[in-house]
Amino acid sequence: MTAVILSLVVGWGVFLSQTSSQTSSQGLVVYCAHDAVYSEAVLRRFEQQTGIPVTIRFDTEATKSLSLVRMLLDEKDHPRCDVFWNNEQLGTMELQRAGALLAYKGSGFARIPAPFKDPEGHWVGFAARFRVQMINTNCEPPPEFGELPEGPLDRVAIAKPLFGTTLTHYVCLWQEFGPETLKAWQRHALEQKLHLVPGNGRVMSLVADGICDYGWTDTDDFHVALDDGKPVRMLPVRVRGKTIAIPNTVAIIRGTRRLSGAQKLIDFLLSEETELALARSKARQVPLGLVTAALPADVDRMLPWLKTATDLAPLFEFREPCLRWLESENLP
Amino acid sequence: MTLLPQCAVCVARALVLCGLVTWLATALRGTLLGASRELRLWISGMLAVLLATPDLMVGYAYGDFEFSLAQHPAWNELLYATLVGAKLLPLATLLAWFSPPSPLSPSASHCLRLARVSFKQKLDAWLQGSGRRAGPIAAVVFLLAFQDFELAARLGVVSWTVRLFDLHAREGFPLEDSLWLTLIPATVTLAVALAAVFPLLADLRQNPTPSDTIGAAPQRLGNWPVPLLIGLLVLASLGPVGIVYRGTWGAWIPLLRDPAIRMQLLRETSTTLLVGSSAAVLAMLLSRWLNSRVGLLVLCLPGMLGSLVLGLVSRGLFRQIDFLSARVGLPLELYDTPLPLVCTLTLWLLPRAVLLRWALRGRERQTSVAVAELLRSASDPEQRATERRLQWDLLWRGRYWAAVLLTGWAYWDLTLPSLLAPTGMTAAPVRLYNFMHFRQTTILSAQLVVTILAPLVIVGLLAVLAPRLMARRSTR
């Protein structure tokens, strides 16, 4: 038993010494809601270029994680995080409203067009994905659908709209069509057996495998299916003619003790190099700033959609009432 | 659906499962008692494989298949219930094997069947007889089925645990609201747990005699449970292993060539093992040190609430401690350290450690150990080595495998590390889970296989080396 306890003590000694070197006074703590499979390589490149160690707390898919936005709000008075890399915009705006973010206008801020950043610099968007209608090309006849489709929906899937980009999608519908129309459609959709599934990844799988004819998801999930050789195509979701582009957003947390490193990371993430890397990743995220190098064909195809993208900032005021309604619905 | 109806669905499901699994486990015990040595080994091996198959792998393997059941929720429910039942069967059989014998002999039971007695009398006799053994097993199966979270989330079935997690993810309730939300499931859990735990704790205090573990003559039940066990093994273990292993073709060379992935796997696997084994050792020590029945009961109760409720409450509690300590000018900052995770894992494992101690109590016979210890002072090194070997056989082998089992549970738990791990510490299963929503990929399957095999290799090596090292030490 003594040997076992000694081994554990030595193990903890090694672990704690490694951890303390990572979270030294210069090391940055980054909360990252973007998928680790794409974002970790970017953050490691920053480490290599600057020599600043980065400790990352990742968000997890669907229900398996308490949201990082919620965690940052809870930690507001005693922040541990220096930089927040969110994979959408409205949650970051909630942090801004709570006074949890610090304004910074560095070199990256200037690169990004006005609709995708806070004018005061509390947060800046980069590398967007789009909400899309993903269609299985084997399904016959090809489905016809509008923004709020009618008829049988038992072969149609959407993620539970309580989180992430699907929530943004619903808030957009709420704003454009009004609450009553959306509520009526939701009732109809559930009566018509619309599949509400835990996440966008599952929507992608249902459509890719032909279990559903089509579904609403994001471009990064669509491209996973496409790379797998699945029979799928996509159309951008258009609400009153406008596409829904959801950028990553990045912000410095108020109270950071590593301001200089945090600013360097913000500039790095908003750089052309990072946007290009994310465009060339399997997620094919669309750069918001000017990129001079050649982009992959899939990304080129999506670039025009940016011109008709909905301005997400005005949606923020509708998010809370929409979310309250969705919660009261007790979705299955 | 609100939390209350979801709880009701889970209670109904857990009741069905506890009935079926307890019945099958009791039948398997009967088969084991009457089986030849070879068959007993085969059955034990199959149960061990079922027990060692992580939920994460089962969920991952069936993840794609489950999509095809999206149109058939009843079949999906059946698949889920079968997988949970298969997961719980080995533990139920283990408990049935080690549970105290019925005070009614088979001949007394037979006489009772022949006698013309009322239903109430028969029920009383059953409660005093077979029911005494089945009760705690059924309670444990009920609790674990009722609290399941990971498979339920992965297979998308109705479950209060998934609902509770959704509510927390959106609202991040403070501690008092968390406690309020968990009131209904906690009440169900505590009612069942208290009914199950008191008899176990009473048994723990008794010094078992050898006859306790021999029990009444076994009732020969035949081998009919064996095909059922094989079916469950294929469905819940060999099938998923096959799917995942098949998925690794072509991934091994890229995995071996990528030093970053190798290092990451090594770091995360070793960290998860360190946390898991620390919690397991602490839980075992606590279960042995605490002699007070009330003290043990109080410490066991949080763990019986399940990892989700325990994790959410613990998370709120440690944050509250940090907050209050900062207010009085003594900032502790415990929340973002490994301490909450290790402490909570220990509490979660404690009821299981008590169960295992209960199971092992017949094996660790103090008189045999004391007799073996007499050899320790022998002048002959061979005799001292024999003493060590006997100590290993009588005492440490059981404890070692109990620790392995506890470490395995902690290692594969997704819920507590995802709630409580500090920044920068990612448990290997949590990381794999994060990647799993991108469908099955070869490199992910290979990483999953490494994450499963690495601890198994260490466990196997230690099982071989530990008794030899003990014996060698005594010859010096």
Side-chain angles (χ1 to χ4, degrees):
Chain A
M1 186 48 100
T2 316
V4 172
I5 291 172
L6 267 178
S7 313
L8 290 176
V9 169
V10 170
W12 278 108
V14 172
F15 170 76
L16 291 174
S17 66
Q18 277 190 343
T19 313
S20 64
S21 69
Q22 270 185 335
T23 51
S24 61
S25 58
Q26 290 175 357
L28 283 173
V29 176
V30 177
Y31 285 9
C32 183
H34 191 34
D35 291 320
V37 71
Y38 305 124
S39 56
E40 190 164 18
V42 172
L43 292 169
R44 296 297 168 221
R45 199 173 314 115
F46 170 77
E47 272 186 334
Q48 285 167 2
Q49 285 187 10
T50 61
I52 299 172
V54 174
T55 306
I56 314 165
R57 178 187 279 275
F58 286 110
D59 207 346
T60 52
E61 174 70 357
T63 60
K64 286 304 289 187
S65 145
L66 297 181
S67 107
L68 290 177
V69 172
R70 175 56 47 197
M71 192 175 276
L72 285 164
L73 285 171
D74 289 346
E75 293 173 3
K76 192 165 77 76
D77 297 330
H78 302 95
R80 293 173 175 83
C81 169
D82 300 300
V83 173
F84 180 38
W85 174 350
N86 197 2
N87 61 354
E88 51 91 41
Q89 184 178 316
L90 298 185
T92 312
M93 290 177 70
E94 191 179 343
L95 290 173
Q96 181 191 358
R97 189 176 64 173
L101 305 181
L102 193 67
Y104 170 62
K105 294 182 182 180
S107 61
F109 181 85
R111 262 195 82 242
I112 303 296
F116 300 107
K117 63 187 177 188
D118 169 49
E120 293 167 10
H122 286 99
W123 55 266
V124 185
F126 66 108
R129 52 201 164 136
F130 286 89
R131 288 294 290 172
V132 288
Q133 290 155 338
M134 179 172 162
I135 303 151
N136 188 301
T137 52
N138 287 340
C139 68
E140 292 291 342
E144 290 182 12
F145 43 78
E147 291 134 331
L148 299 173
E150 300 286 329
L153 297 171
D154 59 332
R155 292 183 60 81
V156 182
I158 190 168
K160 279 185 195 173
L162 297 159
F163 307 96
T165 55
T166 314
L167 175 60
T168 307
H169 187 165
Y170 261 60
V171 177
C172 199
L173 294 170
W174 176 285
Q175 184 212 24
E176 290 294 337
F177 295 104
E180 294 315 313
T181 309
L182 181 60
K183 287 175 185 177
W185 177 77
Q186 176 77 7
R187 277 195 297 275
H188 162 80
L190 290 177
E191 281 165 16
Q192 294 296 322
K193 313 271 187 216
L194 172 73
H195 287 282
L196 281 178
V197 296
N200 287 318
R202 193 162 291 199
V203 173
M204 174 266 287
S205 293
L206 287 170
V207 177
D209 293 343
I211 314 294
C212 286
D213 293 338
Y214 70 97
W216 292 276
T217 186
D218 300 334
T219 38
D220 51 357
D221 288 306
F222 166 80
H223 283 109
V224 171
L226 192 71
D227 291 345
D228 262 5
K230 299 290 179 183
V232 289
R233 66 187 174 94
M234 67 170 175
L235 292 170
V237 166
R238 289 187 190 275
V239 180
R240 302 259 197 241
K242 289 182 179 171
T243 56
I244 305 175
I246 299 170
N248 285 280
T249 48
V250 65
I252 299 177
I253 300 300
R254 185 179 294 280
T256 174
R257 282 171 280 186
R258 306 161 189 97
L259 184 59
S260 162
Q263 290 172 342
K264 281 182 188 160
L265 178 57
I266 296 279
D267 288 335
F268 176 80
L269 290 178
L270 300 177
S271 68
E272 181 178 344
E273 178 191 350
T274 301
E275 284 213 303
L276 189 61
L278 290 170
R280 287 176 176 168
S281 74
K282 291 190 170 185
R284 271 84 137 199
Q285 297 196 318
V286 179
L288 301 181
L290 182 67
V291 173
T292 49
L295 290 169
D298 290 328
V299 177
D300 259 339
R301 196 157 57 100
M302 291 186 281
L303 264 180
W305 301 350
L306 269 183
K307 290 176 188 160
T308 55
T310 305
D311 185 1
L312 297 184
L315 295 184
F316 183 68
E317 62 175 295
F318 300 104
R319 182 176 183 260
E320 196 60 27
C322 182
L323 191 54
R324 290 286 153 231
W325 160 65
L326 286 167
E327 281 167 357
S328 68
E329 285 288 286
N330 290 316
L331 300 172
Chain B
M1 207 184 274
T2 59
L3 206 57
L4 186 62
Q6 302 226 359
C7 265
V9 170
C10 291
V11 166
R13 183 192 291 138
L15 277 175
V16 172
L17 274 174
C18 85
L20 287 174
V21 172
T22 307
W23 168 69
L24 189 55
T26 314
L28 265 173
R29 179 184 184 272
T31 305
L32 278 165
L33 284 169
S36 64
R37 190 171 174 275
E38 288 75 21
L39 183 61
R40 193 182 288 191
L41 273 176
W42 273 104
I43 293 174
S44 308
M46 286 192 279
L47 288 170
V49 171
L50 262 178
L51 192 64
T53 308
D55 288 359
L56 185 69
M57 189 171 77
V58 177
Y60 175 63
Y62 282 110
D64 281 1
F65 177 65
E66 181 263 332
F67 296 135
S68 59
L69 296 178
Q71 308 276 15
H72 312 284
W75 285 106
N76 195 34
E77 176 68 34
L78 185 65
L79 172 69
Y80 167 73
T82 312
L83 291 176
V84 172
K87 178 178 81 168
L88 297 178
L89 182 64
L91 187 63
T93 312
L94 192 75
L95 292 176
W97 179 255
F98 285 110
S99 59
S102 160
L104 290 182
S105 67
S107 50
S109 299
H110 183 68
C111 290
L112 198 69
R113 271 197 295 275
L114 294 177
R116 290 186 175 181
V117 291
S118 67
F119 174 76
K120 187 177 175 305
Q121 284 171 313
K122 280 188 178 174
L123 184 67
D124 283 347
W126 184 83
L127 286 174
Q128 291 300 316
S130 311
R132 202 174 141 192
R133 169 183 292 144
I137 302 169
V140 170
V141 173
F142 177 91
L143 287 180
L144 294 176
F146 180 66
Q147 293 164 354
D148 178 72
F149 173 47
E150 285 147 16
L151 269 179
R154 190 77 193 147
L155 294 186
V157 296
V158 172
S159 169
W160 67 271
T161 49
V162 177
R163 175 82 184 161
L164 181 66
F165 206 96
D166 278 1
L167 289 171
H168 269 272
R170 289 198 300 281
E171 301 291 344
F173 295 109
L175 181 59
E176 57 271 28
D177 290 348
S178 295
L179 291 172
W180 181 246
L181 260 180
T182 55
L183 192 65
I184 299 166
T187 308
V188 173
T189 301
L190 290 182
V192 177
L194 286 174
V197 164
F198 265 118
L200 292 189
L201 291 180
D203 275 352
L204 270 180
R205 289 165 67 87
Q206 291 167 4
N207 195 15
T209 58
S211 60
D212 276 345
T213 52
I214 295 166
Q219 191 181 351
R220 290 194 67 89
L221 286 171
N223 294 336
W224 65 264
V226 177
L228 209 54
L229 177 63
I230 292 171
L232 288 176
L233 183 75
V234 170
L235 184 77
S237 192
L238 298 183
V241 167
I243 292 168
V244 172
Y245 183 72
R246 191 195 60 195
T248 65
W249 292 347
W252 292 106
I253 291 171
L255 187 71
L256 291 172
R257 279 186 184 156
D258 191 333
I261 295 182
R262 275 203 321 264
M263 277 310 294
Q264 195 167 45
L265 268 175
L266 180 69
R267 193 173 57 239
E268 287 170 358
T269 308
S270 52
T271 306
T272 316
L273 263 180
L274 180 66
V275 170
S277 53
S278 302
V281 168
L282 282 172
M284 285 186 76
L285 290 177
L286 268 178
S287 73
R288 284 175 186 279
W289 282 344
L290 269 175
N291 282 321
S292 151
R293 189 173 162 180
V294 176
L296 203 53
L297 180 68
V298 168
L299 274 180
C300 279
L301 283 181
M304 289 179 198
L305 296 173
S307 61
L308 179 65
V309 174
L310 183 62
L312 290 171
V313 172
S314 173
R315 186 172 178 270
L317 198 64
F318 273 97
R319 285 217 320 241
Q320 199 70 15
I321 291 171
D322 278 13
F323 178 68
L324 291 175
S325 67
R327 273 180 64 178
V328 297
L330 290 166
L332 285 173
E333 302 208 349
L334 300 175
Y335 168 61
D336 205 28
T337 68
L339 193 71
L341 178 59
V342 175
C343 289
T344 314
L345 271 173
T346 305
L347 282 180
W348 179 62
L349 290 177
L350 187 60
R352 297 166 189 237
V354 171
L355 264 182
L356 290 170
R357 187 187 155 197
W358 173 78
L360 289 171
R361 80 203 189 293
R363 190 186 172 86
E364 296 177 0
R365 287 169 205 148
Q366 294 307 314
T367 43
S368 312
V369 174
V371 169
E373 272 176 1
L374 294 176
L375 291 171
R376 190 177 292 172
S377 52
S379 55
D380 183 2
E382 279 303 313
Q383 287 188 335
R384 289 205 301 274
T386 306
E387 184 264 339
R388 287 285 178 171
R389 270 196 295 275
L390 283 171
Q391 288 280 356
W392 172 260
D393 285 341
L394 292 170
L395 216 56
W396 292 104
R397 190 197 302 277
R399 290 182 188 179
Y400 173 74
W401 286 110
V404 165
L405 202 53
L406 291 170
T407 305
W409 277 319
Y411 181 85
W412 285 111
D413 180 57
L414 277 170
T415 311
L416 291 177
S418 65
L419 285 171
L420 296 168
T423 308
M425 178 200 267
T426 309
V430 173
R431 182 184 184 77
L432 290 176
Y433 182 89
N434 284 348
F435 288 164
M436 282 179 181
H437 83 278
F438 292 108
R439 303 172 65 86
Q440 289 172 7
T441 64
T442 53
I443 198 89
L444 182 57
S445 296
Q447 288 185 50
L448 182 57
V449 169
V450 171
T451 311
I452 293 167
L453 286 184
L456 287 182
V457 168
I458 295 173
V459 164
L461 275 176
L462 281 176
V464 172
L465 291 177
R468 286 161 204 250
L469 287 174
M470 276 181 77
R472 185 178 288 181
R473 234 179 72 194
S474 64
T475 55
R476 283 185 193 151

